Amino acid sequence: QEKVVRLGINSPIGIIEDYNPKLFRDYDVVFIDSTQTTDISHEEFKELKKQFPNTSFVIINQANRDGSSKGGTKWEHIVDAIMHIENQSATMEKNRFPEGSTETIKIF
């Protein structure tokens, strides 16, 4: 919340504790934390993107001990970017945008 205020973001901000896609129409960006907690499938996510074409979705997949995604590799084919976050750093692993960086950045 501090970051949103500091950056002057004026969009509505809300926390939806129960997964209810009907509420997503009020937001420009929706964070889904996590695909395992909400139990959203790949197919459901594809439908969400179709229903809300002007909404950006940030989805979080939990990781196994070896660093692989608990969501499997199917997610890799339907998202625009993948970031690996560990030890207070984020590294871009996949990016569909040509101007994107793969540089590791400190995020905390």
Side-chain angles (χ1 to χ4, degrees):
Q1 187 175 6
E2 287 177 26
K3 190 172 198 172
V4 169
V5 171
R6 181 172 42 87
L7 295 174
I9 297 172
N10 296 319
S11 297
I13 299 171
I15 296 173
I16 302 168
E17 300 215 10
D18 294 321
Y19 178 69
N20 184 351
K22 293 177 185 174
L23 301 174
F24 294 169
R25 70 177 164 273
D26 297 329
Y27 299 97
D28 296 327
V29 179
V30 172
F31 287 79
I32 298 176
D33 183 10
S34 67
T35 58
Q36 289 79 17
T37 301
T38 60
D39 202 28
I40 186 173
S41 70
H42 306 98
E43 291 75 24
E44 289 171 312
F45 182 68
K46 287 179 191 177
E47 279 302 310
L48 274 181
K49 288 174 56 172
K50 287 180 189 174
Q51 287 177 340
F52 304 99
N54 297 321
T55 301
S56 294
F57 289 93
V58 177
I59 58 173
I60 298 167
N61 273 333
Q62 298 171 13
N64 295 310
R65 290 187 188 263
D66 66 0
S68 63
S69 171
K70 284 187 178 180
T73 58
K74 281 188 177 182
W75 288 103
E76 295 176 15
H77 303 289
I78 60 174
V79 298
D80 293 326
I82 297 174
M83 293 185 80
H84 180 81
I85 300 172
E86 184 177 24
N87 298 327
Q88 302 177 348
S89 296
T91 305
M92 185 70 68
E93 293 183 3
K94 172 190 171 184
N95 189 346
R96 292 188 196 265
F97 305 101
E99 298 84 25
S101 171
T102 58
E103 178 182 342
T104 298
I105 57 170
K106 288 285 189 188
I107 58 172
F108 299 102

